[in-house]
Amino acid sequence: MIVLKRFSLVLLCGMQPAFASTVDRSTPSPAPGLQYRIARSIRPSLRNDEHLLGELLDRLKKLPPLSRGRRGASAGYHSRYYDSADHRTEILLDMGSRCDFDRVVIFSVDAVFQGRTIDGYGFPQQFRIDVADEVSFDESTVVFDSSTSNRTVDPEFPLQILTPNASARFLRLTILKHWSRGDGQFLTALGEIMILSGGRNMAIGARVDADTFTSLPDWSRENLVDGQTDLGLPIDPTPSASNGFLSRPTVVPQTKKWVQVELERTARIDEVRLIPTEPFDAPSQHGHGFPRRFRVVGSRTDDFTDAEVIADHRAVDFLNPGDNPVILRAPNMDAKFIRLEIDELWHISNGKFALALAEMQVFGNGQNLAAGCVVTASDVFRKPPFDQVWHPKFLVDGFSSQNRLIGLDRWLTGLQSRAETERQIDQLRVRMRRTVEGTISALLILAAAMITGLLGLAVMARTRRRRALARQKEELRTRIARDLHDDLGSRLGGMTLISESLLADQALPESLHGDLSLIHRSSREASDAMRDIVWLLDNTKAHRSKLIAHMRQIVPTIMGRVVVEFTVDETLDQTLDFDFRRQILFAFKECLGNAAKHSEAERVDCRIGGGIDRFQFEVQDHGKGFQVAPNQTDPGHGLNNLRARADSLGGSVTIHSRPSVGTRIVFDVPLQRRRGA
């Protein structure tokens, strides 16, 4: 049957199907991502929230759907434009007589402004609703005041104000603060005001007195109480298996047709509701098949000789209701037969005109008296297979073309539950998202802490390893220095003593004297060099003061009987590395050796200085000197070696020399902290 329904109007109208989709919170969420799955495996509360979310989504599926539908020709009420939001505006509803009511419902309206659709267009920022029996409102009751209410208005849902045991003839809505359109204009716009009593809208057709902007058919005072809203029909999620009633098509729109419902018994009629069709696969049309001109009459007899008119809309074209019920208030009348008489049909397609109606409801004492009753018509479209979804009995089956119809009270209560459920779903999803974000953040912080700890451990292990290697190197140096001193030093010392003893022997042949002198001198120089190496290898001597002391100590061994004046500028003691000490020591010995060998000086001055950032020594002899030419290469005094040593330390060597005056050498390098032995 569903398949037949889907293709029925396509075949009838010869048009392609058009599908509408509505996305709401009941739409299944996409598959959870990796972060969610990680958080879910760690946080039990997330699994609990997931279960609660499932329950809320299941509850949502059972509540009336929130579908904007397809609005009819009328939009609602629109005030004039004001320059201030505080312009006081009153909307007065006169229901004709005093009546009891239990609920006041305010519907917002959507409108297009500057190319975009605005939900809740023109809904007032602050307003008050009071009711009274007299138009003067000398004695009135305030039923709602937004300035003192903490309720948040969601433009998707109607604002429902419960008024138990209320009774009045007049309702006054006072605008205290208008909506700002954003272009310096202020206004109020509303879709509908309903005043419900036992599920019946007592505001239908009420007299409306208000300062209004009229733009037909969209905006007028009367549109505020025509029963039509942006939310369409009062339905629940139960799908329909039928489309409704369809007459035979004709090519002449002004063809008279009728369809009637025979109630089980004569009853007092309060109102008649005509439900437009919205066939599933029909083109997206407003109020598909709803008659252009018609009237509704009621009678106690089937010949309609005593017929009374409930509503007469034959003079002008009836505004298309879209997906809204057309509610016709009946006068105080008793009837058993309710007939819809058509003078002009609605265009279906391809030049064909027909009557299509999803449901015809007849209410009395709050009950739909037409449900399941006998339906007859002037003619019926019975062509198979369409007669399985279009049939007179479907005019009273309790379904629209899409869903099951429900009463206004139940529909509005369901919408209120949907609003609360959607709010809970939104809050729960926010909480779940924050739980996931918090869990992932905590995991990232924990991971960062672990990585930092591991890096710290790695650094500590590396530092310990380096210290261990440094200790091993120092121990190795100390052992090498000790071995050199104990083994090689004793051997060289022995060679020096033996050669010295032989040279002192008067019986030594003259032919051996030169060789022994060479051996004696070489062993003594090797012994001195070995002592320097042993000193350098000893890391306990790695201080500036120790270096200076050693430099002072080696002066006599090189200069012999030459008078040496050795001065030291006051400096801070610092730790120096091995290579720095080696280059300084051997450069100093080079300078002393040059002075001893070439200067023929009787006195040499040595000075150590440089301050806290540099190391400087100066060796000045008062000997024969020499002529220093620009870019002079080494004249045999080892000056190139000095420059190479200074360059390796980032410093410089300055040489001042004059014949018969003497030579002054300044070795100046930046001070380097000890980087490791």
Side-chain angles (χ1 to χ4, degrees):
M1 185 172 290
I2 297 299
V3 175
L4 290 172
K5 172 186 170 182
R6 290 185 176 181
F7 289 95
S8 60
L9 277 188
V10 179
L11 296 175
L12 176 65
C13 304
M15 301 184 66
Q16 295 297 320
F19 299 95
S21 61
T22 301
V23 178
D24 58 17
R25 291 167 179 81
S26 61
T27 302
S29 300
L34 177 61
Q35 291 186 358
Y36 181 88
R37 293 197 299 270
I38 292 174
R40 187 179 183 277
S41 64
I42 297 173
R43 300 292 295 272
S45 62
L46 193 58
R47 294 193 292 273
N48 295 336
D49 286 348
E50 190 179 69
H51 179 71
L52 178 57
L53 179 61
E55 291 180 346
L56 291 174
L57 291 174
D58 288 341
R59 181 194 305 172
L60 202 62
K61 294 177 182 177
K62 301 173 183 177
L63 294 172
L66 184 69
S67 173
R68 307 310 284 184
R70 289 192 290 270
R71 189 168 67 197
S74 68
Y77 162 83
H78 193 301
S79 74
R80 294 184 183 274
Y81 295 97
Y82 305 108
D83 295 329
S84 170
D86 300 324
H87 188 281
R88 188 182 180 94
T89 304
E90 294 183 353
I91 301 173
L92 182 66
L93 269 64
D94 181 3
M95 291 173 282
S97 61
R98 181 177 180 178
C99 62
D100 299 332
F101 56 94
D102 48 43
R103 190 186 315 226
V104 175
V105 187
I106 310 295
F107 289 82
S108 64
V109 66
D110 296 347
V112 177
F113 177 65
Q114 294 183 344
R116 70 185 181 93
T117 301
I118 301 175
D119 294 338
Y121 174 87
F123 200 86
Q125 301 298 296
Q126 286 187 12
F127 59 96
R128 185 180 67 246
I129 299 175
D130 50 350
V131 295
D133 291 329
E134 302 294 335
V135 70
S136 63
F137 277 79
D138 291 336
E139 296 182 5
S140 62
T141 302
V142 176
V143 296
F144 182 77
D145 190 341
S146 65
S147 62
T148 59
S149 173
N150 58 2
R151 294 178 61 177
T152 301
V153 177
D154 184 345
E156 283 190 299
F157 293 91
L159 173 64
Q160 303 190 45
I161 304 159
L162 298 181
T163 57
N165 303 319
S167 179
R169 173 180 173 177
F170 298 94
L171 180 144
R172 182 176 62 188
L173 190 151
T174 305
I175 311 300
L176 304 175
K177 187 174 183 181
H178 292 277
W179 177 78
S180 172
R181 199 171 64 170
D183 61 349
Q185 297 291 316
F186 299 89
L187 61 102
T188 287
L190 299 172
E192 187 78 9
I193 295 180
M194 291 186 181
I195 303 174
L196 272 75
S197 175
R200 183 184 176 195
N201 183 9
M202 307 304 294
I204 288 291
R207 178 181 175 183
V208 180
D209 186 10
D211 186 15
T212 184
F213 164 78
T214 301
S215 176
L216 297 176
D218 299 276
W219 305 108
S220 72
R221 297 185 185 92
E222 292 73 22
N223 289 350
L224 189 61
V225 290
D226 62 359
Q228 299 186 24
T229 73
D230 286 353
L231 299 184
L233 296 172
I235 55 176
D236 70 12
T238 307
S240 174
S242 63
N243 284 332
F245 169 81
L246 179 65
S247 72
R248 283 201 302 262
T250 179
V251 295
V252 180
Q254 290 81 19
T255 300
K256 293 184 180 294
K257 292 180 180 290
W258 58 266
V259 60
Q260 72 181 30
V261 176
E262 180 182 351
L263 305 181
E264 291 183 356
R265 58 182 176 276
T266 302
R268 176 58 57 95
I269 306 303
D270 294 326
E271 63 186 31
V272 175
R273 298 181 190 177
L274 304 179
I275 309 300
T277 60
E278 187 188 356
F280 187 87
D281 289 329
S284 180
Q285 297 170 327
H286 297 263
H288 185 91
F290 200 85
R292 292 292 183 89
R293 301 192 180 196
F294 64 92
R295 76 170 185 169
V296 178
V297 296
S299 174
R300 295 184 181 86
T301 62
D302 59 358
D303 58 4
F304 282 81
T305 55
D306 60 346
E308 294 185 58
V309 176
I310 297 174
D312 193 342
H313 295 283
R314 295 176 298 176
V316 295
D317 287 354
F318 190 81
L319 293 178
N320 192 286
D323 295 335
N324 279 280
V326 174
I327 303 175
L328 308 172
R329 295 186 67 176
N332 293 327
M333 63 175 293
D334 295 330
K336 182 178 182 181
F337 298 90
I338 306 296
R339 175 179 288 185
L340 171 63
E341 299 176 343
I342 291 86
D343 278 9
E344 184 175 339
L345 298 168
W346 192 82
H347 178 251
I348 295 290
S349 67
N350 299 328
K352 300 292 183 66
F353 298 84
L355 167 66
L357 200 62
E359 189 81 1
M360 186 172 176
Q361 298 176 322
V362 180
F363 279 87
N365 196 26
Q367 300 293 322
N368 178 17
L369 306 177
C373 291
V374 176
V375 177
T376 54
S378 57
D379 59 77
V380 179
F381 183 75
R382 296 188 182 276
K383 184 178 180 180
F386 306 110
D387 56 354
Q388 297 189 46
V389 290
W390 292 103
H391 195 277
K393 66 181 179 181
F394 297 142
L395 189 64
V396 290
D397 64 352
F399 285 84
S400 71
S401 299
Q402 296 288 319
N403 297 89
R404 181 168 59 191
L405 294 162
I406 57 176
L408 283 176
D409 268 339
R410 182 181 168 191
W411 179 58
L412 291 169
T413 301
L415 289 179
Q416 197 164 21
S417 297
R418 172 175 280 273
E420 176 62 22
T421 303
E422 289 190 1
R423 184 186 64 81
Q424 293 177 9
I425 289 173
D426 291 341
Q427 291 177 349
L428 187 58
R429 282 177 169 165
V430 168
R431 187 171 74 192
M432 292 171 70
R433 186 181 71 247
R434 289 176 178 172
T435 300
V436 172
E437 292 173 352
T439 302
I440 297 302
S441 296
L443 288 176
L444 290 176
I445 293 172
L446 179 61
M450 292 177 65
I451 292 172
T452 303
L454 291 173
L455 289 175
L457 291 174
V459 170
M460 289 176 60
R462 184 179 178 185
T463 302
R464 289 180 179 177
R465 185 171 178 272
R466 291 181 61 183
R467 288 176 180 174
L469 290 175
R471 286 196 300 271
Q472 292 175 6
K473 288 170 66 176
E474 290 190 11
E475 291 173 359
L476 180 60
R477 286 177 181 175
T478 302
R479 187 163 59 250
I480 291 173
R482 184 170 59 249
D483 292 345
L484 286 173
H485 182 271
D486 294 343
D487 188 7
L488 188 57
S490 63
R491 294 177 187 274
L492 290 173
M495 289 173 62
T496 301
L497 290 175
I498 292 172
S499 61
E500 187 176 353
S501 175
L502 290 173
L503 286 172
D505 189 352
Q506 299 296 328
L508 179 69
E510 188 64 28
S511 59
L512 298 177
H513 194 275
D515 292 336
L516 285 173
S517 295
L518 179 61
I519 292 171
H520 178 66
R521 186 173 62 255
S522 297
S523 63
R524 188 177 61 188
E525 290 176 353
S527 180
D528 291 341
M530 187 202 67
R531 280 196 300 272
D532 290 339
I533 292 173
V534 170
W535 183 85
L536 286 170
L537 288 173
D538 188 355
N539 245 13
T540 62
K541 311 293 186 181
H543 295 279
R544 182 171 182 163
S545 60
K546 299 290 186 180
L547 175 60
I548 295 173
H550 190 69
M551 292 169 68
R552 184 194 296 271
Q553 185 179 1
I554 64 174
V555 168
T557 63
I558 297 175
M559 300 306 297
R561 295 178 180 178
V562 177
V563 177
V564 178
E565 182 71 24
F566 193 96
T567 60
V568 180
D569 296 344
E570 183 176 355
T571 58
L572 295 175
D573 200 6
Q574 293 158 309
T575 301
L576 308 174
D577 66 21
F578 174 83
D579 187 62
F580 187 88
R581 291 183 292 128
R582 183 175 68 84
Q583 298 289 7
I584 292 292
L585 182 62
F586 288 137
F588 184 65
K589 291 181 68 175
E590 187 83 29
C591 292
L592 292 178
N594 287 337
K597 293 177 182 178
H598 307 294
S599 70
E600 299 178 1
E602 295 182 352
R603 186 169 71 87
V604 173
D605 295 330
C606 297
R607 185 185 67 83
I608 309 296
I612 190 172
D613 295 323
R614 306 187 72 81
F615 192 99
Q616 185 184 90
F617 70 78
E618 179 182 319
V619 176
Q620 182 174 6
D621 65 64
H622 302 279
K624 63 180 183 179
F626 60 91
Q627 185 65 42
V628 180
N631 302 321
Q632 176 182 343
T633 57
D634 190 355
H637 300 308
L639 299 181
N640 286 341
N641 289 341
L642 285 175
R643 290 191 177 96
R645 294 185 187 279
D647 288 343
S648 70
L649 298 178
S652 63
V653 174
T654 306
I655 303 171
H656 305 277
S657 184
R658 291 174 59 191
S660 303
V661 175
T663 300
R664 176 171 170 261
I665 300 175
V666 179
F667 190 93
D668 185 18
V669 295
L671 195 61
Q672 300 176 13
R673 303 265 175 172
R674 183 182 182 186
R675 294 185 298 271

